[in-house]
Amino acid sequence: MAHVSDLIATDIEQYLKAHEHKSLLRFITCGSVDDGKSTLIGRLLYESKMLFEDQLAAVEADSKKFGTQGDQIDFALLVDGLAAEREQGITIDVAYRFFSTDKRKFIVADTPGHEQYTRNMVTGASTADVAILMVDARRGILTQTRRHSYLVSLLGIRHIVVAINKMDLVDYSEKVFRDIREDYTAFAAQIGLEDVSFIPLSAFRGDNIIEPSSAMPWYHGSTLMAYLETVEIDDARMQRAPFRLPVQWVNRPNLDFRGFAGQVASGVIRPGDRIRVQPSGRESTVARIVTHGGDLAQAVSGQSVTLTLADEIDISRGDVISTVEAPAEVADQFETTLVWMHDEPMLPGRPYLLKIGAKTVTATITDIKYQVNVNTLEHVAAKKLELNAIGVCNISLDRPIAFDAYRDNRDTGGFILVDRLSNNTVGAGLLHFALRRAHNIHLQHVDVDKVARATQKHQKSCVLWFTGLSGAGKSSIANLVEKKLHALGHHTYLLDGDNVRHGLNKDLGFTDADRVENIRRVAEVAKLMVDAGLIVLTAFISPFKSERRMARSLMGDDEFIEIFVDTPLEVAEQRDVKGLYKKARRGELKNFTGIDSPYEAPENPELRLTTPQLSLDAAADAVIATLRLRGVIAD
């Protein structure tokens, strides 16, 4: 390295010990494009003497090839590692860098400024204690400045530095600095930012980075590095919060040891303290706090430990161990703020996987209350959330979870949404509070259950889910199957797409969002009918795999039989009994499946009916045979 502590050469053990006990500050740089974020981080790395000689040589060579500062070193190249970033002179991905001073260790995330990479900015901000918001002194407060400020406020970062950069390009004008400070202070009050500091600097020239700038004698505040070395770290605040330990692993190396491992999210715990396990509510007492280096007298926020308890109680990965005096809440329905991070829009009613801590559950967005226009802070109505959109939504889970409001604890109040098919992360969310109905609504026990109702009818209840293009023959086959089942003395009900839209779903159109809601309602009705002991037949296009998977998840084992009426588009279009394809081809019918809206064919249906090769009667007989084979009806 260019320069490091002299202790490395004279007393390496003392150096390592001092380094181990330094506090760690995580911070981000954000703001609009080309405000100097990467240059600032490069300058901090350079000034803190955290660069190897070969790194310096490499960046000097790259500055001549990719740099924007003439013959001088372009510090941004120390951070902008992607080829596309260097070619365009912008930050695309989140870049993390480590450096340290004599007083503190730092991890900095350089986040992108372009609007289309807002999701990357959210990723970088999710663990930060401080946000450095870069403002170009020549341009002042911009739209993306406001966007990132809102996200910083939303994500609970409490300490903000407005770094008014490129002061050298405005002749170090005090008036420019004061005008920007006045504008931003007014905006910060609107979004609830309280701890805001303003520092005028030049990242390129190093003014007010490490040493006070002689070019700005009118500024008497802290340098940037001095601020970063002294600002309160969030871990210190979280140590004063109620104890929380999300269980990451049940440690059972032998029959004589059972411990619960995880990182303390907040608070302090000691042997003898009384704890409660959520969501079960069981209580016990901490017996030991075990670490690789031996037992501890106490554990605090940020430490990774294993707790053993005085009682043998059931605890699983994803549970939360809380203090008895102030336990985490438990609910399965919430109001949340959701940042959508995927190219495919978020549609209410579509199921996703929700991951909070180490726990994964199935979640459905039940309602978008409003979308936030981060440029104006206006609340606007929305039926779906597009990429980078931010909305306040109600969300429902398939089981209760332990949680805290995000404003109180980011670890137990923040979550991500994962697509069930692709396993891609599609959204990030913040829990606000449990919905009142989550506490008031409980399943009522009934003595006559599904099995009793079905047995009385001499059948097993199930749903036959016919799916396929419009004109494939779903309704015709389902209708004939029901007639055959009725003749055999079985109890059935047919839910047909057109018929349902005359009543239950008459308020829905044919947008992707409405199609998702259409299938969600039908699936819930089918579930009730299966519970009544019926054989339920549904004839819907149901074009999306996600919704068919959601419908399947509502049913018990072997209760969902997916029947793919596999008819090529050209055959279905030739039939066109209702004349819908012709209207769609003329542009008179929007969002028509197969024309301008996709159909996602089943990959592994329980039964595939290739209708061009099968007569109507043969297709119905194939369904009846499948029901006999699966034991739904007797031979």
Side-chain angles (χ1 to χ4, degrees):
M1 290 185 182
H3 176 72
V4 290
S5 172
D6 293 337
L7 285 175
I8 291 180
T10 59
D11 193 340
I12 187 63
E13 291 186 3
Q14 185 64 29
Y15 168 78
L16 293 174
K17 183 176 180 180
H19 194 72
E20 178 184 358
H21 290 89
K22 289 179 185 176
S23 59
L24 174 64
L25 176 73
R26 295 177 176 86
F27 68 96
I28 64 167
T29 59
C30 53
S32 191
V33 178
D34 201 32
D35 279 347
K37 299 180 295 297
S38 299
T39 301
L40 175 64
I41 296 175
R43 171 64 71 172
L44 288 172
L45 294 173
Y46 178 79
E47 296 288 356
S48 60
K49 312 301 182 186
M50 292 298 292
L51 298 177
F52 291 94
E53 298 289 353
D54 59 341
Q55 286 180 296
L56 282 173
V59 79
E60 287 174 357
D62 286 346
S63 295
K64 296 177 182 178
K65 183 177 180 181
F66 300 107
T68 60
Q69 306 298 337
D71 294 332
Q72 302 187 59
I73 295 177
D74 188 346
F75 293 106
L77 298 181
L78 289 167
V79 183
D80 290 337
L82 299 178
E85 292 177 332
R86 295 194 169 196
E87 291 168 2
Q88 299 177 52
I90 62 172
T91 298
I92 295 175
D93 204 356
V94 181
Y96 293 93
R97 292 294 184 270
F98 171 86
F99 67 97
S100 69
T101 66
D102 290 339
K103 297 181 180 179
R104 182 172 275 178
K105 295 178 288 187
F106 302 92
I107 294 177
V108 54
D110 180 26
T111 61
H114 279 69
E115 181 175 345
Q116 67 261 39
Y117 303 119
T118 297
R119 54 185 169 179
N120 305 56
M121 184 269 175
V122 171
T123 302
S126 60
T127 59
D129 304 304
V130 173
I132 299 178
L133 188 70
M134 302 294 290
V135 175
D136 189 326
R138 301 167 300 171
R139 299 187 292 173
I141 307 301
L142 302 175
T143 296
Q144 192 71 337
T145 312
R146 293 184 173 88
R147 172 182 290 270
H148 280 186
S149 297
Y150 177 79
L151 290 170
V152 162
S153 172
L154 186 68
L155 293 167
I157 300 178
R158 289 171 166 78
H159 308 292
I160 315 299
V161 177
V162 179
I164 302 174
N165 191 28
K166 304 185 181 181
M167 289 296 294
D168 54 313
L169 302 182
V170 294
D171 297 326
Y172 300 102
S173 169
E174 182 179 3
K175 182 180 184 304
V176 169
F177 170 76
R178 292 186 181 276
D179 287 346
I180 294 175
R181 183 175 64 182
E182 183 178 338
D183 289 347
Y184 189 85
T185 299
F187 174 73
Q190 297 179 40
I191 59 176
L193 292 177
E194 298 177 354
D195 186 357
V196 182
S197 300
F198 297 86
I199 302 177
L201 53 84
S202 170
F204 173 59
R205 296 189 178 278
D207 294 292
N208 282 336
I209 302 295
I210 304 295
E211 301 291 338
S213 172
S214 59
M216 291 178 278
W218 44 265
Y219 174 71
H220 304 290
S222 170
T223 63
L224 180 61
M225 184 61 79
Y227 175 92
L228 294 174
E229 288 182 330
T230 57
V231 67
E232 182 187 35
I233 293 178
D234 203 42
D235 281 349
R237 180 183 67 85
M238 293 309 298
Q239 288 179 18
R240 301 190 292 270
F243 175 73
R244 301 284 186 269
L245 185 140
V247 177
Q248 297 177 1
W249 179 44
V250 179
N251 188 355
R252 194 75 187 274
N254 55 60
L255 294 177
D256 300 321
F257 186 91
R258 182 183 178 88
F260 308 99
Q263 186 178 73
V264 180
S266 63
V268 179
I269 193 70
R270 301 175 180 85
D273 286 352
R274 195 76 182 163
I275 57 92
R276 180 178 298 173
V277 179
Q278 305 286 52
S280 69
R282 296 181 179 89
E283 296 185 5
S284 185
T285 302
V286 176
R288 298 170 57 196
I289 303 174
V290 181
T291 69
H292 178 71
D295 286 12
L296 301 179
Q298 70 172 25
V300 300
S301 174
Q303 285 186 288
S304 296
V305 297
T306 296
L307 301 183
T308 65
L309 305 180
D311 305 289
E312 287 289 336
I313 61 177
D314 184 22
I315 302 177
S316 302
R317 172 178 165 85
D319 289 349
V320 175
I321 300 177
S322 307
T323 175
V324 166
E325 292 78 12
E329 291 188 69
V330 174
D332 60 1
Q333 297 182 60
F334 310 90
E335 182 189 272
T336 71
T337 293
L338 186 62
V339 182
W340 195 245
M341 306 168 71
H342 198 259
D343 294 326
E344 291 293 323
M346 187 282 289
L347 302 176
R350 175 168 288 179
Y352 300 96
L353 296 178
L354 182 147
K355 182 172 173 52
I356 179 169
K359 196 172 191 70
T360 301
V361 297
T362 298
T364 303
I365 310 299
T366 57
D367 179 43
I368 302 176
K369 301 179 75 172
Y370 57 84
Q371 183 175 327
V372 180
N373 183 330
V374 296
N375 302 329
T376 64
L377 304 183
E378 178 186 8
H379 295 175
V380 296
K383 287 191 175 182
K384 59 183 178 180
L385 295 181
E386 302 283 359
L387 174 64
N388 291 324
I390 301 171
V392 173
C393 310
N394 290 343
I395 192 168
S396 177
L397 311 183
D398 66 341
R399 74 199 78 167
I401 60 169
F403 79 101
D404 293 288
Y406 184 85
R407 67 176 180 275
D408 298 325
N409 193 317
R410 289 196 280 185
D411 289 327
T412 54
F415 64 88
I416 61 171
L417 290 181
V418 177
D419 183 84
R420 294 161 60 98
L421 296 176
S422 66
N423 209 37
N424 290 329
T425 298
V426 294
L430 326 172
L431 297 176
H432 295 171
F433 51 80
L435 299 177
R436 185 181 300 274
R437 59 180 178 269
H439 299 296
N440 295 343
I441 299 177
H442 307 279
L443 284 175
Q444 178 66 39
H445 173 74
V446 292
D447 293 319
V448 180
D449 61 10
K450 174 169 53 180
V451 174
R453 299 185 190 104
T455 301
Q456 185 186 51
K457 299 173 178 63
H458 306 290
Q459 62 191 33
K460 289 183 180 180
S461 58
C462 67
V463 59
L464 307 180
W465 194 277
F466 291 84
T467 177
L469 293 170
S470 177
K474 301 180 299 300
S475 294
S476 299
I477 296 172
N479 186 56
L480 185 54
V481 169
E482 187 177 34
K483 286 176 64 177
K484 289 176 178 286
L485 288 172
H486 182 75
L488 292 170
H490 292 288
H491 297 252
T492 63
Y493 194 87
L494 172 58
L495 290 167
D496 183 79
D498 284 355
N499 294 346
V500 167
R501 283 186 177 273
H502 280 87
L504 175 66
N505 293 346
K506 66 181 179 181
D507 60 320
L508 299 177
F510 291 91
T511 65
D512 285 354
D514 284 344
R515 288 174 183 271
V516 169
E517 176 60 13
N518 182 52
I519 297 305
R520 188 194 70 79
R521 294 183 192 180
V522 169
E524 291 288 355
V525 171
K527 177 184 177 182
L528 293 174
M529 290 183 168
V530 168
D531 193 57
L534 300 176
I535 298 173
V536 187
L537 303 91
T538 73
F540 294 82
I541 296 174
S542 52
F544 303 124
K545 294 178 182 178
S546 294
E547 280 60 68
R548 298 196 298 268
R549 178 175 287 195
M550 176 273 297
R552 183 186 293 273
S553 70
L554 293 178
M555 312 302 166
D557 294 339
D558 299 324
E559 289 181 350
F560 188 90
I561 301 174
E562 187 175 40
I563 302 171
F564 178 28
V565 184
D566 187 1
T567 303
L569 176 61
E570 56 271 19
V571 175
E573 195 166 355
Q574 286 171 7
R575 294 172 179 173
D576 204 11
V577 178
K578 304 172 186 177
L580 300 178
Y581 282 100
K582 292 179 181 177
K583 289 182 179 180
R585 291 294 187 188
R586 292 196 301 264
E588 299 172 7
L589 199 58
K590 299 296 183 184
N591 302 308
F592 191 77
T593 302
I595 304 301
D596 57 352
S597 184
Y599 178 78
E600 300 172 358
E603 295 175 353
N604 296 295
E606 278 74 14
L607 180 62
R608 181 187 297 267
L609 302 175
T610 309
T611 56
Q613 283 75 44
L614 282 176
S615 67
L616 193 63
D617 200 62
D621 286 342
V623 175
I624 297 295
T626 298
L627 295 181
R628 288 197 172 103
L629 184 64
R630 299 173 69 90
V632 174
I633 60 176
D635 291 331

